Amino acid sequence: MNLAATLSLATESAALSEMINPRSIQICLVFSALLFVIGLFGFMTRRNMIVMFLCTELMFQGVALAMVTFSRMHLDISGQVFVIFILTVAAAEAALALGLVVLLYRRRATLDVGAWSELGEC
Amino acid sequence: MPSIILYSSCIAGAVGLYLLANGVRMPLRALGTLIALGALAWMMTTTFNSAEGPIGTSILPLVFGVIAVMAAVRVTTHRRPVFAALYFVLVVVASSGLFLTLHAEFMAFALVIVYAGAILITYLFVLMLAQQSPTDGTDSGSTWYDRRPREPAIALLACFILLSSLLQAMTEQDSRAFAAATAGKAEAAEQLIWADLDRMPRQLERVARDVEPETEQVIGSISFDGTVAQVEVKLADGKQKTITLPEDAAPTNTQVIGLALVSDFPVSLELAGVILLMAMFGAVVLARRQIELGEDEIRESAGIAPSVQRGGDE
């Protein structure tokens, strides 16, 4: 018995069988994984500090998408509530990270993270 | 078996991304774009066929997701940071489209307002503040460190391992178990929707008055006849009556989120406020300029009389 039949048997409501569509949930989960991984790739390969932080925002997007998808999958609103907290953390991170970037730019007059690489070689 | 297909499409995507990120010349980048697009289409076809469900409502998530992923690749590979930021706006808009297809309307619009409206503007400001013009003048408007990726091969290896395990966890769920779980949920789904209205007595009373103007008081909670929500009310003349709630009286997404936020997660809400406050303090501390103050000025700002004059008086 396929899922659509199961759902319609359980509820006798066409709207409800569309409510949790396993196919679109699957698609959204795969896209959330792709967004996270592309963000990670960008964070590891870019040298520009601002673009690196942009890539962390990409990872936030992937996580937020996964949370909303799980919230839909389990019909539980907590997932969406926690996206609000993700937004909070992202806003705080943007403010702090960009302040830090401006500070570093004043010191070395470049956005290249390689300019600070001697910090790692003690 | 599907995992083999997914792994192969992951590898193809990694190769495309490597060429796209590392290719110095135009033909290589075009080849990388083609390979990455093919891998994306491959992966999407596999995903699309791996689950059961109505096809019609799955088209929009697919379209929005493809836009989001393509824009995300441009964010990570574009040579000019301003364009990367603008492509990130496209990612945000596309993923808010995905949120809309998942019936998370409030989050979709909050995402556009907060991300595209506030955070990205901050990024653009800082880009304009700190971006330097290219010194060597070879490429049009990009500096050398924007053209050269750092260790793309190793990064892609790590990303490929992460992506394949994530995809395996997300696609290899037993479809039948998921169906059973969803069926159990779907039976209760209608009741879940109305359960939040039970926690909003004033709105419930308003809805009841809309249906039955004679309503004086709502008695008890919402009950169900099949999937039809009902509630018992006390009329003005003292009689009791069972009224059927209309479909559109169910609480909206925004109301449900607000209710969950203040009734289930109040401490988290307070903590979010504290985080924002601390971020504000931190940003002020980071951004201010250091000014060297003399001892007298420090004493003056602390409200103490300057030490030199006091010493003279004594």
Side-chain angles (χ1 to χ4, degrees):
Chain A
M1 195 193 306
N2 69 4
L3 181 55
T6 318
L7 280 180
S8 55
L9 264 185
T11 64
E12 300 173 0
S13 152
L16 209 54
S17 80
E18 303 240 322
M19 207 161 98
I20 314 171
N21 180 355
R23 201 190 292 268
S24 62
I25 280 179
Q26 188 81 82
I27 290 170
C28 288
L29 283 180
V30 169
F31 278 125
S32 74
L34 277 175
L35 277 182
F36 186 87
V37 167
I38 291 173
L40 185 63
F41 170 73
F43 187 76
M44 290 199 278
T45 54
R46 291 304 293 252
R47 293 168 189 268
N48 190 323
M49 280 189 281
I50 298 178
V51 183
M52 283 172 73
F53 284 116
L54 215 54
C55 290
T56 62
E57 305 285 335
L58 265 183
M59 291 197 269
F60 275 132
Q61 287 283 311
V63 175
L65 182 56
M67 277 189 170
V68 171
T69 313
F70 285 134
S71 141
R72 193 74 203 153
M73 186 171 163
H74 299 290
L75 286 176
D76 188 339
I77 204 69
S78 319
Q80 296 183 29
V81 173
F82 270 84
V83 176
I84 295 181
F85 300 133
I86 289 187
L87 283 186
T88 312
V89 173
E93 180 244 341
L96 284 180
L98 292 177
L100 208 58
V101 165
V102 171
L103 202 70
L104 295 180
Y105 180 74
R106 276 198 209 135
R107 289 269 174 88
R108 294 275 163 104
T110 177
L111 286 174
D112 183 12
V113 279
W116 298 91
S117 61
E118 76 268 23
L119 285 179
E121 300 162 4
C122 49
Chain B
M1 264 164 337
S3 62
I4 298 293
I5 300 177
L6 276 177
Y7 290 164
S8 335
S9 62
C10 283
I11 295 175
V15 171
L17 203 54
Y18 180 80
L19 288 177
L20 202 56
N22 207 25
V24 184
R25 283 173 298 142
M26 199 59 205
L28 271 183
R29 290 172 69 88
L31 183 67
T33 313
L34 273 182
I35 295 176
L37 277 180
L40 186 61
W42 192 5
M43 197 180 288
M44 281 311 113
T45 323
T46 317
T47 315
F48 200 79
N49 293 325
S50 72
E52 297 159 342
I55 292 181
T57 50
S58 311
I59 301 294
L60 271 181
L62 199 65
V63 173
F64 282 129
V66 168
I67 294 174
V69 167
M70 276 164 39
V73 169
R74 287 310 277 151
V75 171
T76 55
T77 58
H78 207 286
R79 281 140 190 240
R80 291 196 226 174
V82 177
F83 280 79
L86 291 179
Y87 273 110
F88 186 73
V89 175
L90 188 57
V91 175
V92 169
V93 170
S95 54
S96 74
L98 276 175
F99 284 11
L100 277 182
T101 65
L102 290 167
H103 297 269
E105 292 90 3
F106 176 74
M107 286 329 302
F109 295 121
L111 202 73
V112 171
I113 293 170
V114 174
Y115 257 106
I119 296 182
L120 254 292
I121 296 301
T122 321
Y123 272 93
L124 284 178
F125 266 131
V126 174
L127 270 175
M128 286 164 194
L129 206 67
Q131 184 68 18
Q132 59 195 22
S133 53
T135 45
D136 48 0
T138 48
D139 205 310
S140 50
S142 62
T143 47
W144 73 269
Y145 52 82
D146 279 327
R147 290 196 300 273
R148 288 267 194 78
R150 187 181 52 190
E151 307 283 2
I154 296 170
L156 271 174
L157 188 67
C159 290
F160 163 70
I161 293 169
L162 179 62
L163 179 63
S164 45
S165 52
L166 273 178
L167 284 182
Q168 181 149 29
M170 282 172 174
T171 60
E172 292 237 320
Q173 55 188 352
D174 189 359
S175 185
R176 205 164 295 172
F178 181 43
T182 327
K185 288 278 183 191
E187 212 168 31
E190 197 81 19
Q191 304 183 8
L192 274 174
I193 293 171
W194 291 100
D196 284 313
L197 191 57
D198 251 346
R199 298 161 73 190
M200 300 188 245
R202 279 196 190 168
Q203 189 173 349
L204 182 58
E205 214 167 294
R206 204 158 50 231
V207 168
R209 284 226 176 81
D210 283 345
V211 179
E212 174 60 63
E214 296 286 301
T215 301
E216 193 180 89
Q217 194 185 353
V218 175
I219 305 166
S221 55
I222 299 173
S223 57
F224 293 92
D225 178 21
T227 58
V228 181
Q230 291 174 333
V231 71
E232 201 152 312
V233 296
K234 187 174 159 195
L235 299 183
D237 52 3
K239 286 182 200 158
Q240 292 190 1
K241 187 187 173 189
T242 306
I243 57 171
T244 307
L245 298 174
E247 280 284 319
D248 57 355
T252 60
N253 179 250
T254 315
Q255 284 176 327
V256 175
I257 287 183
L259 189 69
L261 200 59
V262 293
S263 64
D264 298 343
F265 303 101
V267 181
S268 313
L269 190 63
E270 296 292 328
L271 279 180
V274 172
I275 288 176
L276 283 178
L277 184 70
M278 287 302 143
M280 198 174 74
F281 286 158
V284 169
V285 168
L286 282 178
R288 77 180 168 172
R289 284 178 189 280
Q290 297 282 343
I291 302 171
E292 292 298 324
L293 289 179
E295 197 180 337
D296 287 348
E297 286 161 312
I298 293 173
R299 282 173 160 268
E300 199 172 343
S301 64
I304 310 170
S307 58
V308 184
Q309 287 173 5
R310 180 180 290 171
D313 286 341
E314 285 169 1

